Amino acid sequence: MRHLKNKKSWLLAIILVLVISMLSACGSDKTGGESKDTLSAIKKRGKLVVGVKYDTNLFGYKDPSSGKVEGFDIDIAKALAKKIFGDEKKLELKEVTSKTRVQMLKNGDIDAIIATMTITEDRKKEVNFSDVYFKAGQSLLVKKGSKIQGIDDVKKGTKVLAVKGSTSVQNIKDKSPDAQVLEFENYAEAFTALKAGKGDALTTDNSILYGMADQDSNYQLVGQPFTDEPYGIALNKGDDKFTKYVNKFLKELKDSGEYDKIKSKWIKEQ
Ligand code: GLU
């Protein structure tokens, strides 16, 4: 009888140790709020989920007639899915805007942001960034014939349109503190507002503005870019392992010549 009781308590103790170690393993899998091995989680899920723009011609744009999402950032996302799975189709795209992208990453809705996102010190407090994969600079888009021909013409009384959550808003406020800045939810709305005469100029990266001028030849870029906007792929804060993996991917993409092919497919100017 005593023998049996001893056996029972041993068994209980073993189970207890097992349960505790399992629980603590779950806990330690989370470093800085992130899964320790993002890559395994993505592989297990069977697809990579990337946040991209849907309204930014040339970078991430959903064609209203075909429903297809295409652009430079999309091709980078496809190449990353190909690196992970050997199949670029194992990719789910989710729409982000400049305002929503960081929160969507933090919420775990997406594995990465590939969406015309500038690497900044401020943003580094919230996300990890890959190495630079594209270099843009902020510029101005105006209706042809406009009096505005560059940043020096943006002054008191000038209405400038920009998008919430973008670096462009702060930059234009710094460069032209007296101008009136109107902020929109996304680039489609901002461009529609410019076409409706609600502002004198639209400001964001030249790369994005080229995409707008490409859609409507009544509009043109003016002046020289007045900031540096290096784009990075944003990943979860503290997820250094996956960040290293993505940097390796970018290096391979460049070394193989694939990056140049993608770039020349979408970027004509610069
Ligand atoms: N590259 C700038 C930024 O990250 C402007 C483009 C955008 O809004 O995504 O804010």
Side-chain angles (χ1 to χ4, degrees), residues 5 26 47 61 66 74 103 109 118 143 154 157 159 164 189 194-195 201 208 215 217 229 247 260 264:
K5 215 176 164 191
C26 286
K47 67 181 174 190
Y61 183 71
S66 71
I74 310 303
Q103 199 52 50
D109 294 334
T118 300
K143 193 163 187 180
V154 176
K159 272 191 200 159
K164 289 178 190 168
E189 280 185 23
L194 182 71
K195 288 194 262 191
I208 297 175
Q215 285 178 322
S217 59
E229 306 292 329
N247 281 337
D260 284 337
S264 57

Side-chain angles (χ1 to χ4, degrees), residues 36-56:
K36 217 159 128 198
D37 207 324
T38 305
L39 191 60
S40 329
I42 292 168
K43 283 185 176 162
K44 205 167 155 205
R45 188 203 295 135
K47 67 181 174 190
L48 169 73
V49 186
V50 178
V52 297
K53 296 280 182 75
Y54 274 21
D55 69 345
T56 306

Side-chain angles (χ1 to χ4, degrees), residues 143-154:
K143 193 163 187 180
K144 281 182 180 164
S146 164
K147 282 186 296 198
I148 297 170
Q149 287 301 306
I151 187 68
D152 295 340
D153 299 326
V154 176

Side-chain angles (χ1 to χ4, degrees), residues 102-122:
V102 169
Q103 199 52 50
M104 282 181 71
L105 181 68
K106 282 185 169 179
N107 289 352
D109 294 334
I110 49 180
D111 299 314
I113 302 167
I114 311 183
T116 66
M117 189 168 180
T118 300
I119 301 168
T120 69
E121 289 309 312
D122 254 11

Side-chain angles (χ1 to χ4, degrees), residues 53 98 101 115-118 123 163-168 187 204-205 208 229 231:
K53 296 280 182 75
S98 306
R101 59 193 163 193
T116 66
M117 189 168 180
T118 300
R123 288 174 177 167
V163 166
K164 289 178 190 168
S166 68
T167 51
S168 330
Y187 286 101
T204 185
D205 302 338
I208 297 175
E229 306 292 329
Y231 292 178

